[in-house]
Amino acid sequence: MFEVLVFVYENYWRGDACPAPEQLGRKLSAQGFDADEIREALHWLDGLSHATQGIQLVRHADETTATVGIRSRSDEVIPQSPHSIRVYSNAEQEHIGAECLGFISFLESSGVLPTGMREIVIERAMATSGEPLTIDELKIIVLMVHWSTGVEPDALVLDELCDDASERVAH
């Protein structure tokens, strides 16, 4: 499934540029992807689309920072309290794994993954098969959440998410 998601990300730079599921399925099939992988990826992308519908990017007055919030019923964006913490359930800890949860924490503390997007990343990670999730699979999920919301990550963050750390050479 993750190979299909990478193909979609690379060929449709923004979520709104992606064709309808039926047409996308035909294109993926023409590219030689397995029918089961296509079906699983389309189901996962549908869940991503539903999860990101209530997301709104809010720019602060200084234009240097942005937050992502979830719209409430009153159409107000509800930010997370700066004093709150995220407690992961046992199922989340087992499925996502310690390395990936550490990476999520790193992205969140770096300001790359606002709380609203973090919750979507966790929800979409839990919607995958296989345990525990690998760091490369998590990076694809983070990229796809950014892709779906239209929030472009910083160039250095994008490099970190797309780079294969195993090929790095220490200086």
Side-chain angles (χ1 to χ4, degrees):
M1 176 187 83
F2 287 99
E3 291 173 0
V4 175
L5 294 178
V6 169
F7 178 86
V8 170
Y9 181 82
E10 289 175 345
N11 288 279
Y12 304 101
W13 184 244
R14 292 186 47 117
D16 54 5
C18 192
E22 300 81 27
Q23 184 181 5
L24 179 60
R26 286 191 297 274
K27 288 184 179 204
L28 293 169
S29 183
Q31 290 295 318
F33 289 106
D34 181 63
D36 289 336
E37 283 185 320
I38 293 170
R39 192 172 18 265
E40 185 179 359
L42 291 177
H43 180 72
W44 191 91
L45 286 168
D46 184 52
L48 177 62
S49 175
H50 288 297
T52 57
Q53 284 179 350
I55 292 294
Q56 177 184 9
L57 178 64
V58 180
R59 287 249 173 238
H60 295 286
D62 63 5
E63 290 295 320
T64 59
T65 58
T67 58
V68 175
I70 307 290
R71 285 189 176 272
S72 68
R73 289 185 185 168
S74 64
D75 221 21
E76 167 190 357
V77 175
I78 305 169
Q80 177 178 327
S81 167
H83 303 293
S84 64
I85 60 170
R86 174 63 156 87
V87 177
Y88 295 95
S89 71
N90 287 338
E92 290 170 337
Q93 291 176 37
E94 289 174 14
H95 185 76
I96 298 173
E99 182 182 21
C100 290
L101 290 175
F103 190 69
I104 290 171
S105 179
F106 163 72
L107 292 175
E108 187 179 7
S109 65
S110 300
V112 175
L113 197 61
T115 56
M117 289 176 71
R118 177 200 64 208
E119 291 305 310
I120 295 171
V121 167
I122 293 167
E123 187 271 330
R124 292 288 76 209
M126 294 299 291
T128 63
S129 58
E131 288 185 20
L133 198 66
T134 68
I135 195 75
D136 289 334
E137 292 169 341
L138 177 69
K139 287 179 179 182
I140 293 167
I141 292 170
V142 171
L143 281 172
M144 293 305 292
V145 169
H146 275 87
W147 173 82
S148 183
T149 59
V151 177
E152 189 171 325
D154 178 82
L156 292 174
V157 173
L158 190 60
D159 185 50
E160 174 64 31
L161 292 172
C162 295
D163 188 33
D164 183 6
S166 66
E167 295 180 7
R168 290 184 188 161
V169 177
H171 296 276

